[in-house]
Amino acid sequence: MKPMAHLGVGIGWRPEIADAVERLEGLDWVEVVAENICPGHLPASLLRLRERGVRVVPHGVSLGLGGADRPDPEKLAALGERAVALGAPLVTEHIAFVRTSSPALEAGHLLPVPRTRDALDVLCENVRIAQDALPVPLALENIAALISWPGEELTEGQFLTELVERTGVRLLIDVANLHTNRVNRGEDPAGVLDAIPLEALAYVHVAGGVERGGVWHDTHAHPVPGVVLDVLAELCSRVVPAGVLLERDDDFPPEGELAAELAAIRGVVGGPAGLLPHPAPSRNRDSAPDPAPQTPAGLDGPEGAAGPDGAAGLEGARVRVGLGQAALLSALVGGTPVPEGFDRQRIRVQARALAAKRAGVVAKVAPELPGILGSEEAYRQAFLAYARHRPMTAGYRRDALDFAEHLLIRDLPADPAARRRLTTWWQDRAGARPPRRVVRWARALVGRAA
């Protein structure tokens, strides 16, 4: 595998800290959430950074390559367009599933893939499809998880190693996620680092979180703790990463604190001069060969990699993976019974976290709603009551409209003036749609309120 191009030390670019990011000294590169930018209308801040020679890497969050379905061609095309528009050397995504198609449910979050042969076969084919469609190399990130799947057949190290060997994909290692999984799932970060092919490392993520009730929450809204920097040091003792990036997604600190966190990261990796890629030291086994040339799905890999019946076996794996993921996601967002073998308490914690995140993102997508409902707390209580038995099926913007419909059909909010404002807000954004019962009802409501 060819050495990764030098990136250096960078930070996740977010609109809320765009000005601060431009002022950070010694910044080598930034990463941007791919779904948050439009190729034809790049933010002026990103354009200025590019003019200065700062590289920009798009980081996708919605492909769901670990899901049972094949990747959406439109989502792949959109990710590729962003890579081209930014002149990016690679694109990155996650080893996760984010939705199911039967039933149609959206998690709004990255959920862990079961480390089974079936799930690995499905993931490998999905990765090959993505690699064929993208104009630049792909790297995949290990995710943080609150829950573990029952009946797993592979360790994290075995799963990631075989993924790399079968597809040639690079790895984006998030050391904060390694720490999260140590607390939540009892996985030793050093053991994972010893087992995975670090010669496939693209770059590294570093982020903050917080522990509550024995569960580590990977918030990206807290300072990077020393325990995460310790995991970064463990990684750097094995290989010098081509790039390291600080992630911060919420509760943004003053510019000086961001600069201090970047300085702490530089201190661990040895400063910009130390971030020069070189071959990773051999793992505690024979050095892995370069990935084999890609062949049609179902025809390569170790014994049983795609099932005994080739393509038919892979389709069976998709069905089995899909059934398991649908049962889990339905329990998390739809209130259905927890599938056998899962930790029920952890499922409850994860379900509450998903609902809270969903409420927060909808408030960002539709910032008028808390004001219409009277306060942030009133909005939050109303939304969580709505979300308890109303899973998201089509993204956050649709979710905001569905939430407004849910309130209006129940003659809420109670204050008539607020209800009129909500009706107007909903009408302005719903657009032309077939006159469903709710639409006819809302029109009638407007007539009564006039």
Side-chain angles (χ1 to χ4, degrees), residues 381-394:
Q381 290 183 6
F383 187 90
L384 292 178
Y386 150 81
R388 190 170 295 121
H389 299 292
R390 293 288 299 271
M392 183 168 60
T393 60

Side-chain angles (χ1 to χ4, degrees), residues 101-288:
S101 59
S102 182
L105 297 172
E106 290 278 347
H109 189 70
L110 302 164
L111 294 176
V113 174
R115 291 178 298 210
T116 62
R117 286 287 170 193
D118 277 348
L120 181 59
D121 291 342
V122 170
L123 174 63
C124 285
E125 190 194 29
N126 287 350
V127 169
R128 293 188 191 101
I129 292 169
Q131 288 171 319
D132 287 344
L134 292 169
V136 295
L138 171 68
L140 295 181
E141 178 181 349
N142 61 306
I143 71 162
L146 282 172
I147 55 179
S148 297
W149 284 81
E152 293 193 322
E153 301 163 341
L154 302 164
T155 66
E156 178 79 344
Q158 291 168 335
F159 194 87
L160 295 179
T161 297
E162 195 163 324
L163 170 65
V164 170
E165 291 175 345
R166 288 172 59 178
T167 66
V169 75
R170 289 189 179 274
L171 296 177
L172 191 180
I173 295 300
D174 189 314
V175 293
N177 291 350
L178 292 179
H179 172 68
T180 300
N181 294 341
R182 168 169 52 193
V183 176
N184 295 348
R185 304 203 290 185
E187 297 172 357
D188 176 32
V192 175
L193 292 172
D194 283 340
I196 62 177
L198 289 174
E199 62 269 22
L201 181 65
Y203 60 86
V204 179
H205 273 175
V206 181
V210 64
E211 187 172 350
R212 301 190 188 99
V215 173
W216 188 269
H217 297 270
D218 180 47
T219 63
H220 293 194
H222 291 80
V224 177
V227 287
V228 170
L229 292 177
D230 290 344
V231 180
L232 176 62
E234 284 273 3
L235 183 147
C236 291
S237 72
R238 293 161 171 79
V239 63
V240 178
V244 181
L245 183 120
L246 171 65
E247 287 189 294
R248 188 79 178 224
D249 293 324
D250 206 353
D251 197 15
F252 298 101
E255 185 177 331
E257 292 183 26
L258 291 176
E261 290 202 294
L262 288 172
I265 290 171
R266 289 190 183 97
V268 173
V269 300
L275 281 171
L276 297 174
H278 61 67
S282 60
R283 289 163 277 159
N284 295 327
R285 59 181 179 86
D286 293 337
S287 295

